[in-house]
């Protein structure tokens, strides 16, 4: 177990569930007749995205003790993600998430995570701290800070990690999981003190920092403690600023959008791949943008995560 843990490129910690997506586009949920079932949840999707790019990955999370939980174990294994830290919670059902698909930019999400999602029942005393310290990249999400005991477990994992290797905080702001942004800010600030990389869109950066202008967001995230701030700007692309003074602003890769959900998780898995590969900021951001664009052009999230050949092909076609 120790050797396996040391060899892992990435461990993510946080949300998992079953995505129930319409197989019809442009149809309201009340009228959809057919659905597809997919592995979902940002932490799980990032692990899948990095695994598709050849990285060894695992996820720390929990499911219900039910058929959907069994499905998620099966899906993780099929994607090549280590599921040893995915454990059942008898008291709560595995969450499901529905969406509506109105391209190019309207994809409402409906989370069924009541009375409580199992992935918020991660306990401090159950964590494998050796593995958390040993992995090359450790990735946590804002949702994991939204409720106890997951909040304490997430912060304990960050403190144990103590900035060893690369520690990514995916700001992952989901307003339905919090009473208001003011409640989230102190926990976000604590997580930023222990992370080396912060990733978020403008809404998420505003929750974390109180500012919204991209360069100001990046500077505020660096001031909060990270070494690298990655600010996603939607149609304006992505801005990455490093504490060493280097920066990159990269436009998005144009595609015909089928479903924008999951693009950010593909971006995240590819960001991990680029950081581990030692690429410069501009190359890493171009690659991550292309991976995100590929997923946006497909229906699903997890099963849509691209291979290296697919990302390379899109980059070659997108380069003038």
């Amino acid at each position: 177990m120790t050797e396996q843990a040391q060899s892992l490129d990435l461990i993510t910690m946080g949300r998992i569930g079953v995505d129930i997506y319409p197989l019809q586009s442009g149809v309201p949920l009340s009228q959809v007749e057919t659905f597809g079932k997919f592995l979902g949840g940002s932490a799980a999707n990032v692990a899948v995205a990095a695994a598709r790019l050849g990285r060894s990955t695992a996820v720390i999370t929990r499911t219900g003790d039910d058929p959907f939980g069994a499905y998620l174990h099966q899906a993780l294994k099929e994607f090549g993600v280590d599921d040893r830290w995915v454990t059942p919670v008898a008291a709560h059902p595995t969450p499901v998430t529905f969406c509506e698909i109105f391209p190019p930019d309207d994809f409402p999400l409906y989370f069924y995570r009541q009375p409580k999602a199992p992935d918020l029942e991660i306990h401090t005393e159950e964590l494998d701290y050796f593995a958390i310290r040993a992995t090359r990249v450790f990735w946590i999400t804002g949702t994991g800070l939204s409720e106890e005991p997951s909040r304490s477990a997430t912060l304990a994992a960050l403190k144990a990690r103590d900035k060893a290797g690369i520690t990514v905080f995916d700001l992952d702001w989901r307003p339905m999981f919090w009473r208001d942004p003011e409640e989230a800010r102190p926990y976000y600030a604590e997580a930023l003190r222990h992370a080396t990389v912060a990733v978020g869109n403008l809404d998420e950066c505003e929750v974390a920092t109180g500012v919204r202008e991209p360069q100001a967001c990046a500077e505020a995230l660096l001031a909060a403690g990270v070494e690298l701030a990655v600010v996603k700007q939607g149609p304006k692309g992505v801005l990455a600023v490093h504490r060493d003074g280097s920066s990159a602003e990269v436009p998005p890769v144009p595609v015909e959008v089928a479903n924008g959900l999951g693009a950010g998780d593909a971006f995240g898995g590819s960001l991990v791949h680029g950081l581990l590969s030692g690429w410069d900021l501009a190359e890493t951001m171009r690659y991550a943008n292309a991976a995100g664009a590929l997923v946006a052009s497909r229906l699903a999230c997890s099963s849509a995560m691209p291979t290296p050949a697919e990302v390379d092909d899109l980059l070659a076609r997108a380069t003038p």
Side-chain angles (χ1 to χ4, degrees):
M1 179 176 173
T2 298
E3 290 181 4
Q4 282 182 305
Q6 284 181 311
S7 70
L8 285 170
D9 292 319
L10 169 68
I11 296 176
T12 66
M13 179 175 175
R15 197 165 70 245
I16 196 171
V18 178
D19 287 345
I20 310 291
Y21 283 0
L23 299 182
Q24 297 144 282
S25 183
V27 178
L29 203 54
S30 59
Q31 297 173 28
V32 172
E33 295 181 354
T34 54
F35 296 85
K37 175 170 104 280
F38 306 95
L39 177 146
S42 61
N45 281 338
V46 169
V48 169
R52 277 279 172 91
L53 298 173
R55 297 297 176 178
S56 56
T57 71
V59 59
I60 300 170
T61 190
R62 306 194 74 182
T63 71
D65 189 8
D66 53 28
F68 275 154
Y71 161 72
L72 292 175
H73 278 278
Q74 173 190 328
L76 286 170
K77 290 174 181 173
E78 288 174 354
F79 287 127
V81 177
D82 190 324
D83 67 343
R84 81 180 88 162
W85 297 300
V86 182
T87 56
V89 178
H92 302 304
T94 299
V96 295
T97 302
F98 289 85
C99 78
E100 293 175 306
I101 300 176
F102 298 108
D105 58 5
D106 186 19
F107 307 100
L109 278 171
Y110 302 90
F111 290 96
Y112 290 77
R113 290 169 59 86
Q114 301 299 330
K116 188 176 187 180
D119 56 55
L120 293 172
E121 284 290 331
I122 301 172
H123 292 265
T124 302
E125 63 272 15
E126 295 169 353
L127 294 175
D128 186 336
Y129 291 104
F130 179 86
I132 288 166
R133 282 189 59 84
T135 185
R136 297 176 70 193
V137 180
F138 182 56
W139 180 289
I140 65 109
T141 72
T143 299
L145 298 172
S146 66
E147 208 167 320
E148 294 289 2
S150 171
R151 176 187 297 152
S152 291
T154 301
L155 294 174
L158 287 173
K159 290 171 185 172
R161 175 85 172 157
D162 195 27
K163 296 198 176 188
I166 299 165
T167 304
V168 184
F169 179 20
D170 175 4
L171 301 179
D172 181 43
W173 169 250
R174 301 286 181 178
M176 66 284 296
F177 300 158
W178 298 83
R179 281 186 289 275
D180 63 65
E182 292 302 323
E183 181 195 10
R185 281 204 179 104
Y187 302 114
Y188 273 54
E190 176 70 12
L192 286 167
R193 281 195 286 274
H194 296 285
T196 63
V197 180
V199 184
N201 61 32
L202 292 176
D203 290 339
E204 293 166 337
C205 290
E206 185 175 16
V207 169
T209 67
V211 297
R212 190 172 179 86
E213 191 277 324
Q215 184 68 38
C217 285
E219 291 172 2
L221 290 169
L222 294 176
V226 302
E227 300 295 314
L228 173 63
V230 180
V231 181
K232 296 183 282 190
Q233 306 175 71
K236 291 187 176 180
V238 61
L239 169 68
V241 181
H242 197 280
R243 186 179 294 281
D244 66 11
S246 61
S247 66
E249 191 157 15
V250 178
V253 179
V255 293
E256 185 173 342
V257 174
N259 183 359
L261 302 172
D265 300 330
F267 181 98
S270 301
L271 170 65
V272 168
H273 181 58
L275 292 173
L276 289 175
S277 298
W279 299 341
D280 65 31
L281 275 185
E283 183 178 7
T284 299
M285 295 305 129
R286 277 194 298 270
Y287 196 94
N289 266 352
L294 279 168
V295 172
S297 71
R298 299 167 176 176
L299 170 66
C301 293
S302 53
S303 59
M305 297 300 173
T307 64
E310 289 172 326
V311 180
D312 291 341
D313 178 62
L314 180 59
L315 283 170
R317 287 187 282 117
T319 303

